[in-house]
Amino acid sequence: MTEPTNADGDTSGPLAPDSGAARSPRRALAAVLGDLRAVDGALYAAVAATSTPTLDRALRRLSYAADHSKVSLAVAAALASGGPRPRRAARAGVVAVAVASASTNLLGKRLVRRARPDREAARVTVGRYVPMPASASFPSGHTASAVAFATAVGVVLPVAAVPLGVLASAVGYSRVHTGVHYPGDVAAGAVVGIASAAVALAAAAATPASGPRPARSAAPTAPRPSARHRRRRP
């Protein structure tokens, strides 16, 4: 079957098959991702260009302290010395950190091999520097673990939700401030952290509580009447 033609025998007119229609969704997706990368890079550059000498040292130290979830584990140790509910919160938080760490390092970074930012080209202040990790940039593992811990603990122990949420947000921002992550990496890490906390909380809810069960007291029995009382009649 021949292609439809116009009067001049040209197949490129309105009757020609629209080959771009099949590729339009893919092109649209690529265009959206390109725009998001542009916004991501612009936000990274804006943070790098903003002078914050008062915050530089504090955020650098916080970023160091968040390595291997040291901050979260220290908080968990403090909670574990409290009552039953803080101990449950600490357990849920530690499990959430483990799930988040595995999700980012074993899945996320291997599936999306995004290169780390070039902080020298972005002119990030040297005073902000922390060691540039060798792993892929997407998603932020520090953010995922911090958000996972804050979310899981905050659900079990609501009084800790706000301070731990602020701490997790500061950890995430510190990774952009020190130049080792794009803002998009941090946003993705936060999503992974929330999902990891949900998994940890679901696992905790499905696990029966351990511990000694209280002994059931036997029902008191009425004393049996003596033989003399049984023989006595009214």
Side-chain angles (χ1 to χ4, degrees):
M1 183 176 180
T2 60
E3 297 289 346
T5 61
N6 56 21
D8 298 326
D10 186 9
T11 60
S12 61
L15 297 179
D18 187 3
S19 59
R23 294 194 301 267
S24 58
R26 184 179 301 175
R27 289 179 178 177
L29 178 60
V32 170
L33 291 177
D35 290 346
L36 291 177
R37 281 193 295 268
V39 172
D40 205 16
L43 291 174
Y44 179 87
V47 172
T50 303
S51 178
T52 54
T54 305
L55 294 175
D56 288 351
R57 179 178 298 180
L59 290 172
R60 187 181 71 246
R61 289 179 176 177
L62 177 60
S63 188
Y64 270 123
D67 287 345
H68 308 292
S69 300
K70 291 192 294 288
V71 174
S72 297
L73 295 179
V75 174
L79 290 174
S81 62
R85 190 165 187 175
R87 284 196 291 271
R88 290 198 305 271
R91 284 196 299 269
V94 171
V95 173
V97 168
V99 175
S101 179
S103 300
T104 55
N105 294 311
L106 300 180
L107 293 177
K109 292 182 180 295
R110 295 187 178 186
L111 294 175
V112 184
R113 296 182 176 275
R114 188 181 194 184
R116 293 278 176 172
D118 187 349
R119 59 183 173 187
E120 293 183 1
R123 298 182 179 180
V124 176
T125 304
V126 177
R128 301 181 182 181
Y129 277 21
V130 295
M132 181 68 76
S135 60
S137 187
F138 184 95
S140 169
H142 286 67
T143 306
S145 295
V147 171
F149 182 81
T151 303
V153 173
V155 170
V156 180
L157 193 65
V159 70
V162 172
L164 290 180
V166 172
L167 178 61
S169 300
V171 168
Y173 175 74
S174 74
R175 303 303 286 172
V176 180
H177 194 85
T178 55
V180 297
H181 275 294
Y182 292 103
D185 304 333
V186 171
V191 173
V192 173
I194 293 172
S196 300
V199 171
L201 292 170
T207 303
S210 59
R213 294 183 178 180
R216 298 179 60 182
S217 59
T221 57
R224 299 182 63 182
S226 62
R228 184 179 62 182
H229 290 164
R230 286 199 301 269
R231 288 196 300 268
R232 182 178 301 173
R233 294 172 180 258

